[in-house]
Structures are given as structure tokens and as C-alpha cells.
Amino acid sequence: MNKTNHLTIDNVTLAYGQEDIVHNVSLSLSKGEIGCLLGPSGCGKSTLLRSIAGFEQVKTGTIKMKDQVLSTVGKTLPTEKRNIGMVFQDIALFPHLTIADNITFGIKTWSRKDQKVRVEELLQLVGLPEVEERYPHSLSGGQQQRIALARAMAPKPDLLLLDEPFSGLDANLRETLVPEIRDILRKEEMSAILVTHDQMEAFAMADKVAVMQAGRIQQCGSAFNIYHEPKTRFVADFIGLGEFLKGSIKDEYSVDSVLGCLVGDEPLGYAPGTSVELLIRPDDIQHCEDSPLTGRIVSKWFRGSHYLYHVQLDNEEVLPCITACHHDHDVGEDLGISIELDHLVVLPMCDPETGVCDLQEAEVVQAQAISLK
């Protein structure tokens, strides 16, 4: 698969009136890759997606696909000339048209023979080969979403944009549908960008994830790297569960904290004596009845196969801890814990009142320079 840039967004700023909504965003996507814009509501991810589609003009920067300029200052290629497909949250199938007619809506200029071949090909691909004469209301929500995907893919677009397409579906359906749609896109070797606020959707769908906050990309990378190596406090807070412990850098590989001296497997990048915060994920703390280290349970959450406890230490700092579901303890009990932590994630200490971290601006600038490669 060709790994040269298929889509390039270079230093793009977007504004509504005088207010900048997206700030100096740069990222790229290779042919056949699936990217994701992940972030909370109002962070600018849908606005950025709309600019790729041609619905929003850029204030600064350039958007290119296959070496063709789609948008730059003072010039915007019309949406209908971009060869970009879109799938929306509300699905928006035409209720008065059959499934076959819905799919062929965007390929009416094709010959009838080619239309029929493409419909049959796509219905087979999405696992619904026998529904071409049915109407949308006769299908389930998951089936309708597959048909919406087939309709968007019918003209063989250069890029597919998915704007929170799974948010209206129940959790169980999303869990099965998301990887299925990823497989469908893989078979078509189609580049795509998903917009979502759900990190599990992002992890299940995307090759690369761009985490956005307040119109800026905080970090881009694989789901694994974003989870295990967050570059900013926001990314560490937004992705996964975790708590922060106060710590002090001891040497290149270790940090002192209430848990003792913890040694990591990579250089930490801070001078000895630097005050930092140490990220602790629930899977870093294990229940151990014989451990001399204990904490008092301040909250518990039953999650089916396991419990998630929050355990308060003697200095009042709180740790998350996952135990098997048969280890059922009450709030207020003491719980023995052990540390299973070899990769240390440390971030600059934040001001408890303002939430501003030392070096935070430098980290954001560094994260801005990372692109989806």
C-alpha cells in the first residue's frame, strides 16, 4: 500500500466570524489509512471535518489531497468536485427509495449495468446481500448504518468522512459494528477520517488518532502510544482512566513517590529533583492480600468481569485498582495492593488552582508538530 501522503492539512486555522475555532492544525493521512479526530464536544473536530469536505473556508493554511489543492486562503474547491464521501450521525437514507436506489443515488451517471454490479458488490461487502428491494424503515439501526456506508462508498471516493456515525446506536451494537465497518473500509482500501468523542470507537476503528482540545491537536499517534505515552495532562486525563500522584525525579530512570522509588524502562527526560506528576492506570495497581502497602476503599464500581476500586493512601492521595469480580470489598475497608508498573508516565506538576502545568505550552507546540504519517 502506498504510504505517501494522501491527505495533507497544513497549518489550517478556521474561524466563525472573528473567533478562531481551529488553530494552526497540521496533519496528514496516507492512502488506505483510517484516521480519527477524537475530543470532547466543542473542541473543533467536526468543524475541521467540514473544512475537509468543503463546507468551511480556511482562514489560514492549505488542505490538499492527491497533490490537488482543495482549500487555501481565498480559494475553495466546491464540495461536489472533491470526490469525498460522507456518513452522518443521522444516517439520512431516503425513506421513499429502495435500498438499491439509495445506494445508486450518487452514481446515476453510471450505466445501469455498472450500477447493478456496484450495488450487488457493496451489499455483499456490508453483509446484506438480500435487501436491495427493501426500504430503510424495514432495517435495523445497524443495518441502516451499513447501507449509509455503502451509499457513501458507491462512487469510490478518494476519502470517506464519518461524522459521529455510531453515536445514535446502543453500546452493544456499536461494539460489533465499529470493527465490521473498519474491515469493510480495509477491503475497499479506502482512506477515511472518523470524528468521535468516544475513545473506544477511536481505538477500534483508527490507525492513527489525533486528540483535540480547544481547537488544537494535543497529540497524534497510534491508540497504543496515546494511551501509554500521553504528551500532555489533557491527553492523560481524557484517554482511559487514571490518577496522578505527586513525585520527584530521582535519576534518569526513577521517580520517588508515596509508593516508594519506582524505576521505569526508558529515560524520563527531567533533571533530578524536578517535581512531577506520575500517571497511575488501574491496571498498574493489583490487589494483593499479603501486601504491606494498603489503602482504604473510598469508591467501588462493578464492571461485570471486575471491580474498579479507588483506594486512598495514608497521605490522602487516591489510586485506582482493578480486581477480579469475586474480590468484593466494601467502601471503607482496607485493601492490600501491589505495584505492577515498569513504564513510567510523568508530566510536569500542575498548579492546583489554575490547572496550568510547567512546560505545558512547549508540550502543546511539540504535539502540534506531530502528524499522521
Side-chain angles (χ1 to χ4, degrees):
M1 191 179 296
N2 183 6
K3 290 298 181 182
T4 59
N5 287 348
H6 183 70
L7 173 74
T8 302
I9 299 173
D10 183 22
N11 200 36
V12 164
T13 295
L14 304 168
Y16 290 148
Q18 299 301 311
E19 182 182 3
D20 289 352
I21 303 299
V22 173
H23 309 269
N24 304 111
V25 165
S26 295
L27 59 86
S28 60
L29 195 69
S30 298
K31 173 64 178 173
E33 281 193 315
I34 302 173
C36 176
L37 302 175
L38 173 66
S41 297
C43 71
K45 55 189 186 294
S46 289
T47 302
L48 182 56
L49 196 78
R50 288 173 57 83
S51 72
I52 298 170
F55 300 139
E56 304 289 347
Q57 294 186 350
V58 302
K59 180 178 178 180
T60 67
T62 303
I63 301 173
K64 296 172 63 177
M65 186 165 62
K66 297 172 63 177
D67 294 326
Q68 179 184 23
V69 174
L70 302 183
S71 296
T72 191
V73 180
K75 178 183 177 182
T76 301
L77 188 70
T79 300
E80 64 273 14
K81 295 183 178 181
R82 296 189 175 210
N83 197 26
I84 291 175
M86 292 197 70
V87 179
F88 300 96
Q89 176 182 341
D90 59 5
I91 302 176
L93 294 175
F94 300 113
H96 62 293
L97 298 181
T98 65
I99 298 305
D101 288 340
N102 265 280
I103 294 174
T104 58
F105 185 81
I107 53 174
K108 289 182 177 179
T109 58
W110 293 21
S111 70
R112 288 187 176 275
K113 179 182 178 182
D114 288 343
Q115 288 181 29
K116 181 176 176 58
V117 169
R118 186 60 171 157
V119 168
E120 291 175 352
E121 179 182 59
L122 287 169
L123 288 178
Q124 192 69 40
L125 186 64
V126 301
L128 297 169
E130 306 296 332
V131 302
E132 56 190 276
E133 297 304 321
R134 292 170 61 178
Y135 287 85
H137 72 270
S138 69
L139 304 181
S140 69
Q143 290 173 328
Q144 289 184 37
Q145 196 60 277
R146 287 189 186 91
I147 297 304
L149 179 67
R151 183 179 64 182
M153 293 170 64
K156 300 185 178 181
D158 292 321
L159 179 68
L160 189 65
L161 305 179
L162 303 106
D163 192 2
E164 303 204 48
F166 311 112
S167 58
L169 306 177
D170 65 72
N172 288 336
L173 182 54
R174 285 202 306 271
E175 192 169 327
T176 58
L177 187 59
V178 171
E180 288 177 3
I181 288 183
R182 174 185 169 88
D183 290 343
I184 291 168
L185 294 174
R186 279 278 179 267
K187 290 173 183 175
E188 284 275 296
E189 296 187 358
M190 187 167 291
S191 304
I193 298 179
L194 169 72
V195 160
T196 183
H197 60 269
D198 187 319
Q199 59 187 273
M200 292 300 103
E201 281 182 21
F203 290 179
M205 173 74 83
D207 301 307
K208 298 291 192 307
V209 180
V211 182
M212 293 189 67
Q213 180 202 26
R216 302 181 188 276
I217 292 180
Q218 293 279 310
Q219 185 174 350
C220 286
S222 69
F224 181 91
N225 288 338
I226 285 174
Y227 181 87
H228 290 286
E229 299 176 359
K231 301 299 184 185
T232 68
R233 175 65 183 263
F234 173 79
V235 175
D237 266 335
F238 187 74
I239 301 296
L241 299 171
E243 300 288 344
F244 288 91
L245 293 183
K246 296 175 183 177
S248 176
I249 297 296
K250 183 176 182 180
D251 57 39
E252 187 177 14
Y253 289 89
S254 60
V255 58
D256 285 322
S257 73
V258 68
L259 301 177
C261 180
L262 301 176
V263 181
D265 54 3
E266 295 181 2
L268 298 176
Y270 295 91
T274 302
S275 295
V276 295
E277 291 187 300
L278 175 66
L279 176 63
I280 304 293
R281 300 288 194 192
D283 47 312
D284 296 329
I285 307 298
Q286 303 296 319
H287 172 48
C288 180
E289 293 181 356
D290 300 328
S291 174
L293 179 62
T294 63
R296 180 152 298 178
I297 298 172
V298 294
S299 70
K300 63 183 290 189
W301 182 13
F302 179 64
R303 304 183 71 181
S305 62
H306 60 272
Y307 280 101
L308 173 62
Y309 292 102
H310 280 88
V311 180
Q312 189 174 60
L313 305 177
D314 289 341
N315 71 341
E316 297 189 352
E317 291 190 279
V318 176
L319 295 178
C321 175
I322 287 178
T323 73
C325 61
H326 59 274
H327 289 291
D328 186 5
H329 300 273
D330 294 327
V331 172
E333 284 188 36
D334 287 338
L335 191 71
I337 56 175
S338 64
I339 313 303
E340 302 292 337
L341 183 62
D342 54 9
H343 178 75
L344 304 183
V345 176
V346 295
L347 294 170
M349 183 70 71
C350 281
D351 185 303
E353 294 185 1
T354 65
V356 174
C357 300
D358 296 335
L359 306 179
Q360 187 179 54
E361 287 302 315
E363 287 181 340
V364 170
V365 171
Q366 182 183 29
Q368 282 281 102
I370 303 171
S371 64
L372 290 168
K373 295 180 179 178

